[in-house]
Amino acid sequence: MSTTIDRQWTTRLRKRVEGTLPPEKLLPDTQPAYVASWIYVFGVLTLVAMAEVIGTGVILAIFGPQWWHVSGVGHFINSMHLWGVEVFFFAMIVHLWGKFAMAAWRGGRTLTWITGAVTFLASILTAFTGYLSQTNFDSQWISTQAKDGINSTGGGAFFNVLNFGQMLMWHIVLMPIIAVALVAFHVILVRIKGVVPPIVENPEVGQ
Amino acid sequence: MSKRYNPDVDVPEYTGRYAPYDIIKEGTIALVVVLILVLGLSITFGSPDDKAITLQTWSKADPVDFATTAFSELDGSSAVAGYGAPYNTNGTSQHWGFIAPAKWLGVHIPINTATDFVVSPLESQPANPALSSALAQWKGATSATQSAWLTAYSNVSGKMSFSGDRVVVPSAKDGPVPVMITSLTQMARSGALDQALETSKGFYTTDFTKPLLFLSDGTYFASLAQKGHLLGTQWGMMNETDSYPGQAWLWLYTFWYQVSPFNTSASADFLVWGLMMILTAVLVLVPFIPGLRSIPRRIKLYRLIWREHYQDL
């Protein structure tokens, strides 16, 4: 017979979390032997590149969007932000196509694939709003060109790429929250489901 | 009856060997490697920062282009003047057949180029007898008279020059138009037009829609972009100023603008965006699409990834 404590929402949630993602799954100390390829490195490289981008972005945010134009240190932090983004996308795209080659959606991992693909799209929008927030010629040109594409969909009525304030808010508040939430969900799904096993070429024999 | 095994969807339970794996150590090493890589790239290459241009720098560098553009804003022949939604109702919004979402959503950022880019900024100028008289004449005229003045100015604007801080055109029955265009050009060269457009909604502003739209109507802005390989025909969407790597991940989006029918369509943006939305949905939904989800099994790249596993079988 369940007690009052057992019926509490908090207790139920804790038990659900403990059952779905026990500590040994969240922080595993072993992996199946087939996890032995350099392609697996690109997932963690994507994560740490994202951390680097967020870290440098936080420093840029502390001093404001104009700082890097007038400060040598600011310009260097901006360089680290830019190259972090380039490394992030390189690692993410290799990770994406690596997972495609592995058909990594198999074995009930469909949502893992979908969250990964949506994270890629969210990252594109995050980077795009960053390019619009540079407050230099590049952001002027990109915004005036991009407006036509977005306006053609009707999106320009609400998402005005020529409005610097709106784009900066999307870049430093909304999109980071969305991207980090998606990545966290994606990683949790990977930990719950584990790494997808190799493709079985002869199911009758089994592998 | 048990469900039939589908190698593109299912996996058998793994009963093989497990190997030690230190996830914290892996993450730490990856962080150090990425930091060293990013530091090296930043020290070696830095990052580009081409200064933003203003209406002042444009009108000083190429006053005739500025004055020509200003006139096109006044007579309604500029790209923005005839853009359509979300700025005005003067143009046909991009569409595919009857599908025209921009038109359906209508005007959300109203722009009247003659009023917003020319007349209102001039009215914000300190009292000047010649300009005050020209504005009074313009505002007091019927639209037919205004059209006649604009047509007369248009006929001689091909011989426009800039001399002695004035826009010079052959004389014509163009009423107050020459004074207005010269005054706006002088205003731009002083920097006052930038201020007038940026602060048109109040003291605090972060919205540069008006000055950016004005800039985009001239040829000077595009000529600078062309030098930086940033035009659409130069795959500019994935380029960065000063030959730095830009948004290379937009290569497919950029590609469609280079090929038919997109590169000749008046609704190219809408068609490319529509196509990319479909392709994006396909990417997201790969696990559900028979044939597409079989590609990994057919190209067998996985044999390279799991070569040790298959060697052990």
Side-chain angles (χ1 to χ4, degrees):
Chain A
M1 191 176 126
S2 63
T3 65
T4 303
I5 290 176
D6 288 336
R7 289 194 299 273
Q8 288 185 142
W9 291 7
T10 307
T11 313
R12 286 180 179 177
L13 177 64
R14 192 189 66 231
K15 287 184 175 177
R16 179 84 182 266
V17 170
E18 285 172 349
T20 308
L21 190 60
E24 60 272 21
K25 269 193 172 182
L26 181 63
L27 290 172
D29 49 19
T30 61
Q31 282 280 41
Y34 58 78
V35 184
S37 166
W38 278 100
I39 198 74
Y40 289 107
V41 171
F42 288 92
V44 71
L45 284 178
T46 308
L47 284 176
V48 296
M50 185 181 192
E52 190 276 343
V53 170
I54 291 172
T56 50
V58 166
I59 297 172
L60 291 170
I62 288 170
F63 293 98
Q66 303 284 336
W67 174 59
W68 74 282
H69 298 304
V70 295
S71 160
V73 175
H75 194 114
F76 186 72
I77 297 294
N78 179 76
S79 302
M80 289 187 68
H81 196 62
L82 168 72
W83 288 108
V85 169
E86 296 291 338
V87 171
F88 169 80
F89 270 98
F90 176 78
M92 189 184 223
I93 289 166
V94 173
H95 175 67
L96 173 69
W97 289 115
K99 290 300 164 186
F100 178 79
M102 293 184 229
W105 51 79
R106 293 172 296 124
R109 295 171 177 82
T110 303
L111 193 55
T112 313
W113 171 270
I114 289 173
T115 54
V118 173
T119 303
F120 177 55
L121 302 175
S123 301
I124 289 175
L125 185 56
T126 312
F128 172 66
T129 52
Y131 276 88
L132 298 178
S133 304
Q134 296 177 92
T135 60
N136 60 11
F137 178 79
D138 202 33
S139 46
Q140 286 182 309
W141 179 253
I142 291 173
S143 62
T144 52
Q145 294 301 292
K147 78 178 192 307
D148 298 327
I150 293 166
N151 287 345
S152 74
T153 66
F158 314 102
F159 187 79
N160 180 10
V161 294
L162 305 176
N163 185 336
F164 164 71
Q166 187 186 13
M167 292 304 103
L168 183 66
M169 288 300 184
W170 274 75
H171 182 63
I172 67 172
V173 180
L174 300 178
M175 291 316 301
I177 290 172
I178 292 169
V180 168
L182 281 168
V183 167
F185 187 39
H186 181 73
V187 171
I188 287 170
L189 287 174
V190 172
R191 298 273 42 100
I192 291 172
K193 290 288 180 182
V195 182
V196 71
I199 290 173
V200 177
E201 297 182 322
N202 187 350
E204 291 175 4
V205 175
Q207 288 171 8
Chain B
M1 192 175 121
S2 64
K3 188 170 147 266
R4 190 164 170 243
Y5 182 84
N6 183 341
D8 299 325
V9 177
D10 303 316
V11 293
E13 189 181 351
Y14 179 72
T15 55
R17 188 168 57 85
Y18 279 73
Y21 173 64
D22 193 341
I23 191 170
I24 299 298
K25 186 177 178 183
E26 182 188 72
T28 305
I29 292 171
L31 181 61
V32 171
V33 168
V34 165
L35 283 177
I36 291 171
L37 181 62
V38 169
L39 278 168
L41 289 166
S42 302
I43 291 167
T44 308
F45 300 109
S47 55
D49 187 19
D50 289 15
K51 199 174 177 184
I53 64 167
T54 63
L55 298 170
Q56 184 181 29
T57 54
W58 171 26
S59 56
K60 282 189 168 180
D62 194 345
V64 170
D65 182 52
F66 175 85
T68 303
T69 308
F71 175 66
S72 73
E73 307 294 9
L74 184 63
D75 83 342
S77 64
S78 72
V80 174
Y83 195 93
Y87 305 130
N88 48 54
T89 54
N90 302 335
T92 307
S93 300
Q94 294 194 31
H95 60 280
W96 186 57
F98 69 92
I99 305 171
K103 183 182 175 187
W104 297 339
L105 287 163
V107 177
H108 278 252
I109 308 166
I111 300 283
N112 179 322
T113 58
T115 303
D116 295 329
F117 293 170
V118 182
V119 177
S120 291
L122 287 175
E123 286 178 327
S124 72
Q125 286 288 82
N128 166 323
L131 177 58
S132 298
S133 170
L135 285 173
Q137 190 181 1
W138 175 263
K139 292 171 75 175
T142 63
S143 57
T145 304
Q146 289 177 343
S147 293
W149 289 334
L150 293 169
T151 302
Y153 192 89
S154 177
N155 290 337
V156 296
S157 63
K159 295 178 180 174
M160 182 188 289
S161 62
F162 188 77
S163 174
D165 202 32
R166 296 190 66 80
V167 177
V168 180
V169 290
S171 78
K173 293 182 178 177
D174 44 17
V177 175
V179 173
M180 293 169 71
I181 298 301
T182 284
S183 299
L184 196 75
T185 306
Q186 291 169 341
M187 187 180 176
R189 287 166 67 85
S190 73
L193 184 57
D194 287 294
Q195 280 299 311
L197 293 182
E198 287 164 22
T199 58
S200 60
K201 288 183 180 174
F203 181 80
Y204 285 107
T205 178
T206 56
D207 185 355
F208 294 85
T209 301
K210 286 180 182 175
L212 282 170
L213 287 176
F214 200 152
L215 271 177
S216 70
D217 273 338
T219 60
Y220 176 71
F221 191 35
S223 70
L224 294 179
Q226 186 175 24
K227 288 175 190 165
H229 311 291
L230 298 176
L231 296 184
T233 51
Q234 298 170 304
W235 293 67
M237 276 169 274
M238 52 182 286
N239 291 341
E240 169 67 283
T241 50
D242 302 335
S243 301
Y244 279 79
Q247 301 177 80
W249 43 91
L250 296 182
W251 70 271
L252 184 59
Y253 175 68
T254 310
F255 166 76
W256 297 118
Y257 283 95
Q258 319 301 320
V259 298
S260 182
F262 307 105
N263 59 355
T264 54
S265 171
S267 292
D269 296 301
F270 184 60
L271 296 178
V272 170
W273 271 73
L275 179 61
M276 287 304 292
M277 285 179 186
I278 293 169
L279 293 175
T280 299
V282 168
L283 174 72
V284 172
L285 301 174
V286 160
F288 301 105
I289 304 173
L292 206 56
R293 68 187 179 189
S294 302
I295 290 175
R297 201 159 45 83
R298 307 223 181 273
I299 62 175
K300 295 188 183 298
L301 196 60
Y302 65 84
R303 281 201 143 265
L304 188 65
I305 295 169
W306 289 310
R307 59 186 178 281
E308 290 179 22
H309 170 78
Y310 291 110
Q311 282 166 4
D312 293 342
L313 290 179

